[in-house]
Amino acid sequence: MRDRALAAEADLLSRYDAALALPSVTADHALSAKLTAIRAEHAAHAAAIKQGYTPPSAPVSSPAPSAPGATTWSPPATTDTKTAVTALAGAEQHAASDRTADILAADGTTAMLLASIAAAESGHAALLLGASA
């Protein structure tokens, strides 16, 4: 479960890095600051997930989906700011949904951490959707 959450946070971090590298995002100082702040929150999420966690020593042969019927979400590649922000919001919504599904199978401490992360991701999506309107 924590492995999936860590992978999701790594994916979100790379998506934010890609968006922040867009010239149109760099030129919009308010948007750049917002994306940088959200990216920092994802770095903090990853650090919190890693805290006190020892990954399994044997590599997992194939990652299990986080929920029945779950699929990997991938946005279209873009250089357009509005499309990039909308794609980030979609990735946040997908991650929040996956973390919420993981809560049901987690122990108490991990469930609370995942619930907090899911809530933050849901909030990030709302902030981003407000920014793209």
Side-chain angles (χ1 to χ4, degrees), residues 36-133:
T36 298
I38 294 172
R39 188 204 181 281
E41 289 184 20
H42 284 294
H45 295 166
I49 294 165
K50 288 177 187 175
Q51 188 174 357
Y53 175 63
T54 304
S57 57
V60 178
S61 61
S62 64
S66 57
T71 58
T72 302
W73 187 87
S74 348
T78 184
T79 57
D80 171 68
T81 301
K82 186 172 182 173
T83 304
V85 171
T86 301
L88 286 172
E92 292 280 5
Q93 290 169 328
H94 184 78
S97 176
D98 285 351
R99 295 303 65 76
T100 300
D102 286 344
I103 291 166
L104 300 174
D107 63 74
T109 302
T110 301
M112 288 189 302
L113 174 62
L114 295 176
S116 177
I117 291 170
E121 290 166 342
S122 194
H124 296 158
L127 284 170
L128 293 168
L129 290 172
S132 69

Side-chain angles (χ1 to χ4, degrees), residues 17-27 78-81 84:
D17 289 342
L20 286 163
L22 293 174
S24 57
V25 171
T26 304
T78 184
T79 57
D80 171 68
T81 301

